Short mmCIF file of all heavy atoms in Angstrom, two decimals:
data_model
loop_
_atom_site.label_atom_id
_atom_site.label_comp_id
_atom_site.label_asym_id
_atom_site.label_seq_id
_atom_site.Cartn_x
_atom_site.Cartn_y
_atom_site.Cartn_z
N MET A 1 147.41 -5.09 33.34
CA MET A 1 147.03 -3.93 32.52
C MET A 1 148.10 -3.68 31.46
O MET A 1 149.28 -3.78 31.73
CB MET A 1 146.86 -2.71 33.43
CG MET A 1 146.07 -1.59 32.77
SD MET A 1 145.77 -0.24 33.93
CE MET A 1 147.21 0.76 33.60
N ARG A 2 147.66 -3.36 30.27
CA ARG A 2 148.59 -3.10 29.18
C ARG A 2 149.29 -1.75 29.39
O ARG A 2 148.66 -0.77 29.73
CB ARG A 2 147.80 -3.05 27.88
CG ARG A 2 148.64 -3.38 26.67
CD ARG A 2 147.73 -3.81 25.52
NE ARG A 2 146.79 -2.75 25.17
CZ ARG A 2 147.05 -1.81 24.25
NH1 ARG A 2 148.20 -1.80 23.62
NH2 ARG A 2 146.15 -0.90 23.97
N ARG A 3 150.57 -1.74 29.18
CA ARG A 3 151.33 -0.51 29.34
C ARG A 3 151.11 0.40 28.14
O ARG A 3 151.25 -0.03 27.00
CB ARG A 3 152.82 -0.85 29.40
CG ARG A 3 153.48 -0.44 30.67
CD ARG A 3 154.85 -1.07 30.72
NE ARG A 3 155.86 -0.09 30.29
CZ ARG A 3 156.48 0.71 31.14
NH1 ARG A 3 156.24 0.66 32.41
NH2 ARG A 3 157.39 1.56 30.70
N LYS A 4 150.76 1.62 28.42
CA LYS A 4 150.56 2.56 27.33
C LYS A 4 151.87 3.30 27.04
O LYS A 4 152.66 3.52 27.95
CB LYS A 4 149.48 3.58 27.71
CG LYS A 4 148.10 2.96 27.74
CD LYS A 4 147.08 3.97 28.24
CE LYS A 4 145.67 3.46 28.03
NZ LYS A 4 144.76 3.97 29.04
N PRO A 5 152.06 3.69 25.80
CA PRO A 5 153.30 4.39 25.47
C PRO A 5 153.31 5.85 25.95
O PRO A 5 154.35 6.48 25.96
CB PRO A 5 153.37 4.32 23.95
CG PRO A 5 151.95 4.14 23.51
CD PRO A 5 151.24 3.41 24.61
N PHE A 6 152.15 6.35 26.35
CA PHE A 6 152.07 7.75 26.76
C PHE A 6 151.41 7.89 28.12
O PHE A 6 150.66 7.02 28.54
CB PHE A 6 151.25 8.57 25.76
CG PHE A 6 151.83 8.60 24.38
CD1 PHE A 6 151.25 7.88 23.36
CD2 PHE A 6 152.96 9.36 24.11
CE1 PHE A 6 151.79 7.89 22.09
CE2 PHE A 6 153.51 9.38 22.84
CZ PHE A 6 152.92 8.64 21.82
N VAL A 7 151.68 9.00 28.74
CA VAL A 7 150.92 9.41 29.91
C VAL A 7 150.17 10.68 29.51
O VAL A 7 150.47 11.29 28.49
CB VAL A 7 151.85 9.69 31.13
CG1 VAL A 7 152.46 8.39 31.63
CG2 VAL A 7 152.94 10.70 30.78
N ALA A 8 149.16 11.07 30.30
CA ALA A 8 148.36 12.23 29.93
C ALA A 8 148.38 13.28 31.04
O ALA A 8 148.42 12.96 32.23
CB ALA A 8 146.92 11.81 29.66
N CYS A 9 148.34 14.55 30.62
CA CYS A 9 148.23 15.65 31.57
C CYS A 9 146.77 15.75 32.04
O CYS A 9 145.86 15.80 31.23
CB CYS A 9 148.65 16.94 30.87
SG CYS A 9 148.33 18.41 31.85
N MET A 10 146.57 15.77 33.36
CA MET A 10 145.21 15.86 33.90
C MET A 10 144.59 17.21 33.60
O MET A 10 143.37 17.36 33.56
CB MET A 10 145.25 15.71 35.43
CG MET A 10 145.70 14.36 35.92
SD MET A 10 144.35 13.16 35.98
CE MET A 10 143.35 13.85 37.28
N ASN A 11 145.40 18.21 33.42
CA ASN A 11 144.89 19.56 33.24
C ASN A 11 144.49 19.86 31.79
O ASN A 11 143.35 20.25 31.55
CB ASN A 11 145.95 20.56 33.72
CG ASN A 11 145.46 21.98 33.65
OD1 ASN A 11 144.36 22.28 34.12
ND2 ASN A 11 146.24 22.85 33.06
N CYS A 12 145.40 19.63 30.84
CA CYS A 12 145.07 19.98 29.45
C CYS A 12 144.88 18.76 28.56
O CYS A 12 144.60 18.90 27.38
CB CYS A 12 146.14 20.92 28.88
SG CYS A 12 147.73 20.13 28.59
N LYS A 13 145.04 17.55 29.14
CA LYS A 13 144.81 16.29 28.44
C LYS A 13 145.82 16.00 27.34
O LYS A 13 145.61 15.09 26.53
CB LYS A 13 143.38 16.23 27.85
CG LYS A 13 142.31 16.30 28.91
CD LYS A 13 140.98 15.92 28.33
CE LYS A 13 139.87 16.00 29.36
NZ LYS A 13 138.59 15.53 28.83
N ALA A 14 146.89 16.74 27.29
CA ALA A 14 147.91 16.44 26.29
C ALA A 14 148.54 15.09 26.59
O ALA A 14 148.74 14.74 27.76
CB ALA A 14 149.00 17.52 26.31
N LEU A 15 148.83 14.32 25.56
CA LEU A 15 149.55 13.06 25.75
C LEU A 15 151.04 13.34 25.69
O LEU A 15 151.52 14.02 24.79
CB LEU A 15 149.14 12.05 24.66
CG LEU A 15 147.72 11.53 24.77
CD1 LEU A 15 147.42 10.58 23.62
CD2 LEU A 15 147.48 10.84 26.11
N LEU A 16 151.75 12.79 26.66
CA LEU A 16 153.16 13.08 26.82
C LEU A 16 153.94 11.77 26.88
O LEU A 16 153.40 10.75 27.27
CB LEU A 16 153.37 13.85 28.14
CG LEU A 16 152.46 15.07 28.31
CD1 LEU A 16 152.49 15.56 29.75
CD2 LEU A 16 152.88 16.17 27.36
N PRO A 17 155.22 11.81 26.51
CA PRO A 17 156.00 10.58 26.58
C PRO A 17 156.07 10.07 28.01
O PRO A 17 156.12 10.86 28.96
CB PRO A 17 157.40 11.02 26.11
CG PRO A 17 157.20 12.31 25.41
CD PRO A 17 155.98 12.95 26.02
N ARG A 18 156.02 8.74 28.16
CA ARG A 18 156.13 8.12 29.47
C ARG A 18 157.38 8.65 30.18
O ARG A 18 158.42 8.79 29.57
CB ARG A 18 156.25 6.61 29.26
CG ARG A 18 156.26 5.79 30.47
CD ARG A 18 156.04 4.35 30.12
NE ARG A 18 154.62 4.07 29.93
CZ ARG A 18 153.77 3.90 30.95
NH1 ARG A 18 154.17 3.97 32.19
NH2 ARG A 18 152.50 3.68 30.71
N GLY A 19 157.26 8.96 31.45
CA GLY A 19 158.41 9.48 32.19
C GLY A 19 158.35 11.00 32.36
O GLY A 19 159.07 11.57 33.16
N THR A 20 157.47 11.67 31.60
CA THR A 20 157.31 13.11 31.73
C THR A 20 156.72 13.44 33.11
O THR A 20 155.77 12.79 33.54
CB THR A 20 156.35 13.66 30.65
OG1 THR A 20 156.88 13.33 29.37
CG2 THR A 20 156.19 15.17 30.76
N GLU A 21 157.31 14.39 33.80
CA GLU A 21 156.80 14.73 35.13
C GLU A 21 156.09 16.07 35.16
O GLU A 21 155.34 16.37 36.08
CB GLU A 21 157.94 14.72 36.15
CG GLU A 21 158.30 13.28 36.51
CD GLU A 21 159.52 13.16 37.38
OE1 GLU A 21 160.01 14.20 37.85
OE2 GLU A 21 159.96 12.03 37.57
N ARG A 22 156.35 16.89 34.18
CA ARG A 22 155.68 18.19 34.12
C ARG A 22 155.21 18.42 32.69
O ARG A 22 155.99 18.24 31.76
CB ARG A 22 156.66 19.30 34.54
CG ARG A 22 156.08 20.69 34.41
CD ARG A 22 157.12 21.73 34.77
NE ARG A 22 157.33 21.78 36.21
CZ ARG A 22 156.66 22.58 37.04
NH1 ARG A 22 155.77 23.42 36.56
NH2 ARG A 22 156.89 22.57 38.32
N CYS A 23 153.97 18.81 32.54
CA CYS A 23 153.43 19.04 31.21
C CYS A 23 154.10 20.25 30.57
O CYS A 23 154.11 21.33 31.14
CB CYS A 23 151.92 19.28 31.31
SG CYS A 23 151.19 19.71 29.73
N PRO A 24 154.69 20.07 29.38
CA PRO A 24 155.36 21.20 28.73
C PRO A 24 154.38 22.23 28.17
O PRO A 24 154.77 23.34 27.83
CB PRO A 24 156.15 20.54 27.59
CG PRO A 24 155.46 19.26 27.32
CD PRO A 24 154.81 18.82 28.63
N TYR A 25 153.11 21.90 28.09
CA TYR A 25 152.12 22.82 27.52
C TYR A 25 151.52 23.73 28.56
O TYR A 25 151.37 24.93 28.35
CB TYR A 25 151.02 22.04 26.81
CG TYR A 25 151.57 21.12 25.74
CD1 TYR A 25 151.65 19.76 25.95
CD2 TYR A 25 152.05 21.65 24.55
CE1 TYR A 25 152.18 18.91 24.98
CE2 TYR A 25 152.59 20.83 23.58
CZ TYR A 25 152.66 19.47 23.80
OH TYR A 25 153.19 18.65 22.85
N CYS A 26 151.13 23.17 29.70
CA CYS A 26 150.44 23.99 30.70
C CYS A 26 151.20 24.06 32.02
O CYS A 26 150.81 24.80 32.92
CB CYS A 26 149.02 23.47 30.93
SG CYS A 26 148.97 21.89 31.79
N GLY A 27 152.28 23.27 32.16
CA GLY A 27 153.09 23.35 33.37
C GLY A 27 152.55 22.53 34.53
O GLY A 27 153.15 22.50 35.60
N SER A 28 151.45 21.82 34.32
CA SER A 28 150.87 21.01 35.39
C SER A 28 151.76 19.81 35.70
O SER A 28 152.40 19.25 34.82
CB SER A 28 149.48 20.52 34.97
OG SER A 28 149.02 19.56 35.90
N THR A 29 151.83 19.43 36.96
CA THR A 29 152.56 18.22 37.33
C THR A 29 151.59 17.08 37.62
O THR A 29 151.98 16.05 38.14
CB THR A 29 153.46 18.47 38.56
OG1 THR A 29 152.66 19.01 39.60
CG2 THR A 29 154.59 19.43 38.23
N GLU A 30 150.32 17.29 37.33
CA GLU A 30 149.34 16.21 37.50
C GLU A 30 149.30 15.36 36.24
O GLU A 30 148.59 15.65 35.30
CB GLU A 30 147.96 16.80 37.80
CG GLU A 30 147.89 17.40 39.18
CD GLU A 30 146.50 17.89 39.48
OE1 GLU A 30 145.64 17.06 39.78
OE2 GLU A 30 146.28 19.10 39.36
N ILE A 31 150.11 14.32 36.26
CA ILE A 31 150.24 13.44 35.11
C ILE A 31 149.62 12.10 35.48
O ILE A 31 149.80 11.62 36.59
CB ILE A 31 151.75 13.24 34.79
CG1 ILE A 31 152.45 14.58 34.57
CG2 ILE A 31 151.93 12.31 33.60
CD1 ILE A 31 152.00 15.38 33.38
N THR A 32 148.87 11.51 34.57
CA THR A 32 148.19 10.26 34.88
C THR A 32 148.43 9.20 33.81
O THR A 32 148.62 9.53 32.64
CB THR A 32 146.68 10.48 35.05
OG1 THR A 32 146.07 9.22 35.36
CG2 THR A 32 146.04 11.02 33.78
N GLU A 33 148.43 7.96 34.24
CA GLU A 33 148.48 6.86 33.28
C GLU A 33 147.08 6.40 32.92
O GLU A 33 146.90 5.57 32.05
CB GLU A 33 149.24 5.68 33.88
CG GLU A 33 150.70 5.97 34.08
CD GLU A 33 151.47 4.73 34.50
OE1 GLU A 33 151.01 3.61 34.22
OE2 GLU A 33 152.51 4.91 35.13
N ASN A 34 146.09 6.90 33.65
CA ASN A 34 144.71 6.51 33.41
C ASN A 34 144.04 7.44 32.41
O ASN A 34 143.41 8.41 32.78
CB ASN A 34 143.91 6.56 34.72
CG ASN A 34 143.99 5.24 35.45
OD1 ASN A 34 144.19 4.20 34.85
ND2 ASN A 34 143.82 5.29 36.75
N TRP A 35 144.17 7.11 31.16
CA TRP A 35 143.51 7.93 30.14
C TRP A 35 142.97 7.00 29.07
O TRP A 35 143.35 5.84 28.97
CB TRP A 35 144.48 8.94 29.55
CG TRP A 35 145.71 8.35 28.95
CD1 TRP A 35 146.90 8.14 29.59
CD2 TRP A 35 145.90 7.88 27.61
NE1 TRP A 35 147.80 7.56 28.72
CE2 TRP A 35 147.21 7.39 27.49
CE3 TRP A 35 145.07 7.83 26.49
CZ2 TRP A 35 147.72 6.87 26.32
CZ3 TRP A 35 145.58 7.31 25.30
CH2 TRP A 35 146.90 6.83 25.24
N ASP A 36 142.05 7.52 28.28
CA ASP A 36 141.44 6.70 27.25
C ASP A 36 141.09 7.55 26.04
O ASP A 36 140.73 8.71 26.18
CB ASP A 36 140.17 6.05 27.82
CG ASP A 36 139.89 4.71 27.14
OD1 ASP A 36 140.68 4.29 26.27
OD2 ASP A 36 138.88 4.09 27.50
N GLY A 37 141.19 6.94 24.88
CA GLY A 37 140.85 7.64 23.65
C GLY A 37 141.94 8.62 23.24
O GLY A 37 142.64 9.15 24.08
N VAL A 38 142.09 8.83 21.95
CA VAL A 38 143.11 9.75 21.46
C VAL A 38 142.51 10.67 20.41
O VAL A 38 141.78 10.22 19.54
CB VAL A 38 144.30 8.98 20.82
CG1 VAL A 38 145.36 9.93 20.31
CG2 VAL A 38 144.92 8.00 21.81
N VAL A 39 142.80 11.95 20.53
CA VAL A 39 142.45 12.92 19.50
C VAL A 39 143.76 13.50 18.98
O VAL A 39 144.58 13.95 19.78
CB VAL A 39 141.60 14.08 20.06
CG1 VAL A 39 141.26 15.07 18.96
CG2 VAL A 39 140.34 13.54 20.70
N ILE A 40 143.95 13.45 17.68
CA ILE A 40 145.17 14.03 17.12
C ILE A 40 144.78 15.21 16.23
O ILE A 40 143.98 15.06 15.31
CB ILE A 40 145.97 12.99 16.32
CG1 ILE A 40 146.41 11.86 17.24
CG2 ILE A 40 147.19 13.65 15.67
CD1 ILE A 40 147.10 10.71 16.51
N ILE A 41 145.34 16.35 16.54
CA ILE A 41 145.08 17.54 15.73
C ILE A 41 146.36 17.88 15.00
O ILE A 41 147.39 18.09 15.62
CB ILE A 41 144.65 18.73 16.62
CG1 ILE A 41 143.33 18.38 17.30
CG2 ILE A 41 144.51 20.00 15.78
CD1 ILE A 41 142.78 19.49 18.14
N ILE A 42 146.30 17.87 13.67
CA ILE A 42 147.54 18.06 12.92
C ILE A 42 147.67 19.45 12.34
O ILE A 42 148.72 19.83 11.88
CB ILE A 42 147.69 17.00 11.79
CG1 ILE A 42 146.42 16.89 10.96
CG2 ILE A 42 148.05 15.64 12.38
CD1 ILE A 42 146.56 15.95 9.78
N SER A 43 146.62 20.22 12.36
CA SER A 43 146.71 21.54 11.73
C SER A 43 145.99 22.59 12.58
O SER A 43 145.00 22.31 13.24
CB SER A 43 146.06 21.46 10.34
OG SER A 43 145.61 22.74 9.94
N GLU A 44 146.52 23.80 12.53
CA GLU A 44 145.87 24.94 13.21
C GLU A 44 144.47 25.16 12.65
O GLU A 44 143.63 25.79 13.28
CB GLU A 44 146.66 26.23 12.97
CG GLU A 44 148.05 26.27 13.57
CD GLU A 44 148.04 26.69 15.03
OE1 GLU A 44 146.96 27.06 15.52
OE2 GLU A 44 149.11 26.66 15.66
N GLU A 45 144.25 24.67 11.42
CA GLU A 45 142.96 24.90 10.78
C GLU A 45 141.96 23.77 11.02
O GLU A 45 140.87 23.78 10.47
CB GLU A 45 143.14 25.10 9.28
CG GLU A 45 143.41 26.56 8.96
CD GLU A 45 144.55 26.73 7.98
OE1 GLU A 45 144.46 26.17 6.88
OE2 GLU A 45 145.51 27.43 8.32
N SER A 46 142.36 22.81 11.82
CA SER A 46 141.46 21.69 12.11
C SER A 46 140.13 22.19 12.67
O SER A 46 140.10 23.08 13.52
CB SER A 46 142.11 20.74 13.11
OG SER A 46 141.14 19.81 13.56
N GLU A 47 139.05 21.60 12.21
CA GLU A 47 137.75 22.02 12.74
C GLU A 47 137.52 21.52 14.16
O GLU A 47 136.56 21.92 14.81
CB GLU A 47 136.63 21.54 11.81
CG GLU A 47 136.59 20.04 11.60
CD GLU A 47 135.54 19.64 10.56
OE1 GLU A 47 135.22 20.48 9.69
OE2 GLU A 47 135.06 18.50 10.65
N LEU A 48 138.42 20.66 14.63
CA LEU A 48 138.30 20.19 16.02
C LEU A 48 138.73 21.25 17.03
O LEU A 48 138.32 21.24 18.17
CB LEU A 48 139.16 18.93 16.24
CG LEU A 48 138.65 17.65 15.58
CD1 LEU A 48 139.68 16.55 15.71
CD2 LEU A 48 137.33 17.21 16.21
N ILE A 49 139.58 22.17 16.58
CA ILE A 49 140.06 23.20 17.49
C ILE A 49 138.90 24.08 17.95
O ILE A 49 138.13 24.59 17.13
CB ILE A 49 141.19 24.03 16.85
CG1 ILE A 49 142.44 23.15 16.76
CG2 ILE A 49 141.48 25.30 17.66
CD1 ILE A 49 143.67 23.84 16.24
N GLY A 50 138.77 24.22 19.25
CA GLY A 50 137.70 25.03 19.80
C GLY A 50 136.42 24.25 20.06
O GLY A 50 135.51 24.74 20.70
N LYS A 51 136.37 23.00 19.58
CA LYS A 51 135.18 22.17 19.82
C LYS A 51 135.00 21.89 21.30
O LYS A 51 133.90 21.80 21.80
CB LYS A 51 135.32 20.84 19.06
CG LYS A 51 134.82 20.93 17.63
CD LYS A 51 133.64 19.98 17.42
CE LYS A 51 132.85 20.37 16.20
NZ LYS A 51 133.18 19.63 15.03
N THR A 52 136.12 21.69 21.97
CA THR A 52 136.06 21.52 23.42
C THR A 52 137.08 22.47 24.02
O THR A 52 137.96 22.98 23.34
CB THR A 52 136.39 20.08 23.86
OG1 THR A 52 137.77 19.87 23.61
CG2 THR A 52 135.58 19.05 23.13
N GLU A 53 136.96 22.65 25.30
CA GLU A 53 137.79 23.59 26.03
C GLU A 53 139.30 23.32 25.88
O GLU A 53 140.10 24.22 25.84
CB GLU A 53 137.43 23.45 27.50
CG GLU A 53 137.47 24.72 28.27
CD GLU A 53 137.06 24.42 29.69
OE1 GLU A 53 135.88 24.09 29.91
OE2 GLU A 53 137.95 24.47 30.54
N TYR A 54 139.65 22.04 25.82
CA TYR A 54 141.08 21.73 25.86
C TYR A 54 141.74 21.58 24.51
O TYR A 54 142.95 21.51 24.41
CB TYR A 54 141.33 20.50 26.73
CG TYR A 54 140.80 19.20 26.17
CD1 TYR A 54 141.58 18.36 25.40
CD2 TYR A 54 139.48 18.82 26.42
CE1 TYR A 54 141.09 17.18 24.88
CE2 TYR A 54 138.97 17.64 25.91
CZ TYR A 54 139.78 16.83 25.15
OH TYR A 54 139.29 15.66 24.64
N LEU A 55 140.94 21.54 23.44
CA LEU A 55 141.55 21.40 22.12
C LEU A 55 141.84 22.78 21.55
O LEU A 55 140.98 23.42 20.96
CB LEU A 55 140.63 20.62 21.18
CG LEU A 55 140.34 19.18 21.60
CD1 LEU A 55 139.31 18.55 20.66
CD2 LEU A 55 141.59 18.33 21.62
N LYS A 56 143.05 23.25 21.77
CA LYS A 56 143.37 24.62 21.39
C LYS A 56 144.45 24.71 20.34
O LYS A 56 144.60 25.71 19.67
CB LYS A 56 143.80 25.41 22.62
CG LYS A 56 142.65 25.59 23.58
CD LYS A 56 143.03 26.51 24.72
CE LYS A 56 141.83 26.72 25.63
NZ LYS A 56 142.13 26.49 27.02
N LYS A 57 145.27 23.70 20.23
CA LYS A 57 146.35 23.75 19.25
C LYS A 57 146.72 22.34 18.81
O LYS A 57 146.33 21.38 19.47
CB LYS A 57 147.57 24.47 19.83
CG LYS A 57 148.03 23.88 21.13
CD LYS A 57 149.07 24.75 21.79
CE LYS A 57 149.36 24.20 23.17
NZ LYS A 57 149.84 25.14 24.12
N PRO A 58 147.45 22.23 17.69
CA PRO A 58 147.80 20.90 17.21
C PRO A 58 148.54 20.09 18.27
O PRO A 58 149.32 20.63 19.05
CB PRO A 58 148.71 21.19 16.01
CG PRO A 58 148.26 22.53 15.53
CD PRO A 58 147.90 23.28 16.79
N GLY A 59 148.29 18.81 18.29
CA GLY A 59 148.95 17.94 19.25
C GLY A 59 148.16 16.66 19.42
O GLY A 59 147.18 16.43 18.73
N ARG A 60 148.59 15.86 20.39
CA ARG A 60 147.91 14.60 20.70
C ARG A 60 147.24 14.74 22.05
O ARG A 60 147.88 15.15 23.01
CB ARG A 60 148.95 13.48 20.84
CG ARG A 60 149.31 12.77 19.59
CD ARG A 60 150.31 11.68 19.93
NE ARG A 60 151.36 12.20 20.77
CZ ARG A 60 152.65 12.13 20.49
NH1 ARG A 60 153.06 11.52 19.42
NH2 ARG A 60 153.54 12.65 21.30
N TYR A 61 145.99 14.41 22.12
CA TYR A 61 145.25 14.58 23.37
C TYR A 61 144.47 13.32 23.72
O TYR A 61 144.01 12.60 22.85
CB TYR A 61 144.25 15.74 23.25
CG TYR A 61 144.90 17.05 22.94
CD1 TYR A 61 145.11 17.43 21.63
CD2 TYR A 61 145.35 17.88 23.97
CE1 TYR A 61 145.74 18.63 21.33
CE2 TYR A 61 145.97 19.08 23.68
CZ TYR A 61 146.16 19.44 22.36
OH TYR A 61 146.78 20.61 22.07
N ALA A 62 144.31 13.09 25.02
CA ALA A 62 143.44 12.03 25.49
C ALA A 62 142.00 12.53 25.48
O ALA A 62 141.76 13.74 25.60
CB ALA A 62 143.84 11.63 26.91
N VAL A 63 141.06 11.63 25.32
CA VAL A 63 139.65 12.01 25.38
C VAL A 63 139.17 12.06 26.84
O VAL A 63 138.45 12.95 27.24
CB VAL A 63 138.78 11.03 24.55
CG1 VAL A 63 137.30 11.34 24.70
CG2 VAL A 63 139.18 11.09 23.09
N GLU A 64 139.60 11.07 27.61
CA GLU A 64 139.21 11.03 29.03
C GLU A 64 140.45 10.81 29.88
O GLU A 64 141.31 10.01 29.53
CB GLU A 64 138.26 9.86 29.27
CG GLU A 64 136.87 10.12 28.79
CD GLU A 64 136.00 8.89 28.97
OE1 GLU A 64 136.13 8.24 30.03
OE2 GLU A 64 135.22 8.61 28.08
N VAL A 65 140.51 11.51 30.98
CA VAL A 65 141.60 11.27 31.93
C VAL A 65 141.02 11.12 33.32
O VAL A 65 140.01 11.71 33.66
CB VAL A 65 142.64 12.43 31.95
CG1 VAL A 65 143.39 12.53 30.65
CG2 VAL A 65 141.99 13.75 32.29
N SER A 66 141.64 10.27 34.13
CA SER A 66 141.30 10.20 35.54
C SER A 66 142.58 9.92 36.31
O SER A 66 143.56 9.45 35.74
CB SER A 66 140.24 9.13 35.79
OG SER A 66 140.63 7.91 35.22
N ALA A 67 142.56 10.21 37.58
CA ALA A 67 143.77 10.13 38.39
C ALA A 67 144.33 8.72 38.43
O ALA A 67 143.59 7.74 38.46
CB ALA A 67 143.48 10.61 39.80
N SER A 68 145.65 8.61 38.44
CA SER A 68 146.28 7.31 38.64
C SER A 68 146.02 6.83 40.05
O SER A 68 145.93 7.63 40.96
CB SER A 68 147.80 7.42 38.45
OG SER A 68 148.12 7.86 37.18
N GLU A 69 145.89 5.51 40.21
CA GLU A 69 145.70 5.00 41.58
C GLU A 69 147.00 5.11 42.35
O GLU A 69 148.06 4.97 41.82
CB GLU A 69 145.27 3.52 41.57
CG GLU A 69 143.78 3.38 41.33
CD GLU A 69 143.47 3.03 39.86
OE1 GLU A 69 143.98 1.98 39.42
OE2 GLU A 69 142.75 3.77 39.22
ZN1 ZN B 1 149.00 20.04 30.47
#
């Protein structure tokens, strides 16, 4: 399996640097390497904000996450 440069928070789907153990956005410690797709929001005015439950502020997010084996 190809190593990804990021891990994802299972709770808010934020992409975090590899090695992160606690999500700085929501405080969750459920971090997974199993994620797919990337959404990048660069502005508070992005029309993507509010489109889904987890896109609330600028940042990098995974589209899908599932638990690491
Ligand atoms: Zn989070």
Side-chain angles (χ1 to χ4, degrees):
M1 198 175 91
R2 205 159 60 90
R3 240 169 99 91
K4 289 175 169 150
F6 298 106
V7 291
C9 171
M10 295 275 293
N11 184 48
C12 70
K13 299 193 181 185
L15 291 178
L16 309 166
R18 185 166 279 282
T20 302
E21 283 173 8
R22 176 183 286 269
C23 175
Y25 304 105
C26 70
S28 170
T29 54
E30 289 184 78
I31 305 295
T32 181
E33 293 187 24
N34 271 334
W35 57 268
D36 209 1
V38 180
V39 180
I40 298 175
I41 297 183
I42 49 175
S43 155
E44 295 275 354
E45 272 135 57
S46 169
E47 58 186 26
L48 288 172
I49 289 184
K51 273 243 161 97
T52 69
E53 215 179 292
Y54 68 93
L55 297 175
K56 293 187 177 129
K57 55 190 172 206
R60 272 182 312 236
Y61 300 90
V63 175
E64 284 176 41
V65 293
S66 52
S68 300
E69 278 100 58

